[in-house]
Amino acid sequence: MAMFSTDPVRPEAYRRFERPLPEWFRGAALGIFVHWGPYSVPAWAEPTGELGAVPREQWYAHNPYAEWYANTIRIEGSPARAHHDAVHGGAPYDAFLDDWRAEDFDADEVLSVVAATGAGYFIPTTKHHDGVTLWDAPGTDGRNTVARGPRRDLVGAFADATRAAGLRFGVYYSGGLDWHFSELPPIEHDGDPAPDDIAYAEYAHDHVIDLIDRYRPDILWGDIRWPQAGIDPGPSSLAHVFERFYAELPDGVVNDRWGLSHWDFRTSEYVHGTAVEVGDAWENTRGIGLSFGHNRNETDAHLLSADDAVRLLVDVVSRGGNLLLNIGLEASGRIPDGQRRTLEGLGEWNRRHGHAVFGARPEPRLQASHDPWLRWTRTGDLVHAVVDRVDGILLPDPDAILDETSATVAGAPIAAERRDGAILVGTTGSETPIAITFRTRD
């Protein structure tokens, strides 16, 4: 499949969907993801580490993703299984669907926090691997949030609030896994069976077509892959999904987690799959913590601080990508306090320095460094140095690309002078990191 693969090749039948990446997506820089489901009720996982940093032989039984709770509690000997038996008496997973009330959910309030970060797009989960849909999807026989639990069309609420806030709207859909539909054993190792038959392919096809028809998303964000029986072109195939999508949304985009078929941009996750982070059509995604779904076990020590989030965003943009940063809502619908602080801090920085990331491109002629932490971006004839020092800043510019007399921070001129192939910038204040902008000489 294309997901995390370094050199995927599109099948002939899917090459007709190739197109230039729309500028709105290329310049968005930041998107916000939301994982929310019945798993938000137990909200439990071991905070073992980031995807790509935890050994694969330990990953499934010690999964830090709370949204995988329905799988992890079925693994004999897993700490999640022990927790589930002790705290929830081994209750069936669907009891959490009925206990999920979303009593404090206000889509407009969530999107006000999201929009304040400067993000260009917002993507909620519509069906995760547990198979519960956040709208009354066809064929779900009432196993959705309209008939049970919140008793609301949560996808529709998010779609309306996203557009009212002026952002592009996307939908996440798990095509590769559905633990309820397939009734397969738990996944304990890479390569364990996933649903691939025509019945599931048609079921998933009808869901995504319904999402397109009802909500007209700008982004289709698939996960894991697509059932193999639905890859070959036909009336209930993935090719038919893409045909409908691009007919309705000509400047829409899809990611690379639809099996070996088609993609507009590649994706990495935490520190896994980073080999795809090349060129200018990729996106790195991660939670503010170690989980996408809300995890009560996470403390501030497990969360990105606002400064961490700023550095991650700037680093990703400086290398040509977008950052898709995830919120794990509480079962009530609230943004957890620690995650809210990170989002608010990121937004505060972007209000002063967002010109260095939104609509920006890499500046390959100037070199990044780790000591001091320094990244370069460019918008038109302006080059931005984002650095974590506030005085005595020596910015290497051996080819005299930058006009030192034009240096500004947040639009205000600052003192700068050329020193032996570099530019020495005077005191810029107390905040770090800081974006220093120059006009170029070319």
Side-chain angles (χ1 to χ4, degrees), residues 347-369:
E348 183 178 351
W349 190 89
N350 281 336
R351 282 189 286 279
R352 279 180 53 79
H353 303 295
H355 56 280
V357 291
F358 299 117
R361 299 286 186 271
E363 177 43 87
R365 297 174 296 176
L366 296 165
Q367 296 300 307
S369 69

Side-chain angles (χ1 to χ4, degrees), residues 257-268:
R257 302 189 182 193
W258 302 89
L260 194 57
S261 57
H262 164 69
W263 59 92
D264 291 306
F265 63 95
R266 306 302 310 279
T267 59
S268 56

Side-chain angles (χ1 to χ4, degrees), residues 33-386:
F33 218 178
V34 163
H35 278 60
W36 196 29
Y39 46 81
S40 305
V41 176
W44 197 96
E46 294 178 85
T48 49
E50 297 185 359
L51 179 65
V54 176
R56 295 304 293 176
E57 63 271 17
Q58 299 176 19
W59 178 260
Y60 294 101
H62 302 275
N63 199 322
Y65 287 0
E67 68 276 14
W68 275 67
Y69 189 81
N71 186 78
T72 316
I73 61 175
R74 293 190 294 150
I75 298 176
E76 292 288 347
S78 71
R81 173 68 169 270
H83 167 84
H84 185 65
D85 289 344
V87 176
H88 301 290
Y93 179 78
D94 276 21
F96 298 125
L97 172 56
D98 295 319
D99 290 342
W100 178 23
R101 300 300 184 194
E103 64 274 12
D104 296 326
F105 177 55
D106 182 335
D108 291 319
E109 198 276 333
V110 171
L111 265 296
S112 71
V113 176
V114 169
T117 67
Y121 55 97
F122 175 78
I123 305 174
T125 50
T126 67
K127 178 183 81 82
H128 207 265
H129 311 328
D130 61 4
V132 174
T133 64
L134 277 64
W135 87 108
D136 53 337
T140 51
D141 295 327
R143 194 172 181 267
N144 60 65
T145 62
V146 176
R148 296 171 66 179
R151 297 190 180 275
R152 291 185 62 181
D153 176 356
L154 300 176
V155 178
F158 277 133
D160 291 345
T162 300
R163 292 185 170 117
L167 281 68
R168 298 268 186 161
F169 179 68
V171 292
Y172 165 106
Y173 184 87
S174 173
L177 293 174
D178 190 314
W179 298 316
H180 179 76
F181 186 96
S182 59
E183 298 184 349
L184 290 169
I187 298 173
E188 299 188 56
H189 308 93
D190 289 350
D192 279 354
D196 266 327
D197 61 15
I198 190 62
Y200 178 60
E202 291 176 346
Y203 177 79
H205 164 274
D206 292 350
H207 282 185
V208 181
I209 290 293
D210 196 49
L211 288 169
I212 294 167
D213 290 347
R214 289 201 201 196
Y215 308 112
R216 297 179 58 81
D218 299 289
I219 305 167
L220 290 183
W221 213 98
D223 202 10
I224 306 296
R225 59 185 180 86
W226 192 253
Q228 191 59 42
I231 294 292
D232 289 341
S236 293
S237 69
L238 182 59
H240 179 249
V241 169
F242 291 154
E243 286 170 0
R244 178 73 67 87
F245 176 62
Y246 288 121
E248 295 290 331
L249 288 306
D251 66 344
V253 293
V254 305
N255 72 338
D256 61 347
R257 302 189 182 193
W258 302 89
L260 194 57
S261 57
H262 164 69
W263 59 92
D264 291 306
F265 63 95
R266 306 302 310 279
T267 59
S268 56
E269 189 167 322
Y270 287 89
V271 294
H272 185 60
T274 55
V276 309
E277 297 178 353
V278 294
D280 58 1
W282 60 273
E283 175 189 77
N284 175 254
T285 188
R286 62 157 293 154
I288 292 175
L290 300 175
S291 174
F292 285 89
H294 174 50
N295 183 6
R296 302 176 199 273
N297 289 332
E298 290 186 343
T299 67
D300 286 350
H302 300 111
L303 306 181
L304 294 176
S305 68
D307 280 355
D308 293 334
V310 167
R311 284 173 170 77
L312 177 60
L313 172 62
V314 172
D315 177 68
V316 166
V317 172
S318 76
R319 294 184 291 113
N322 286 358
L323 173 64
L324 182 60
L325 187 62
N326 179 79
I327 308 168
L329 293 183
E330 295 175 357
S332 68
R334 291 183 64 254
I335 300 173
D337 292 341
Q339 296 186 36
R340 180 184 285 266
R341 286 193 295 272
T342 297
L343 295 173
E344 290 175 345
L346 176 60
E348 183 178 351
W349 190 89
N350 281 336
R351 282 189 286 279
R352 279 180 53 79
H353 303 295
H355 56 280
V357 291
F358 299 117
R361 299 286 186 271
E363 177 43 87
R365 297 174 296 176
L366 296 165
Q367 296 300 307
S369 69
H370 295 289
D371 186 21
W373 188 91
L374 169 65
R375 299 293 186 270
W376 297 93
T377 64
R378 179 173 183 147
T379 51
D381 65 349
L382 300 177
V383 170
H384 317 284
V386 184

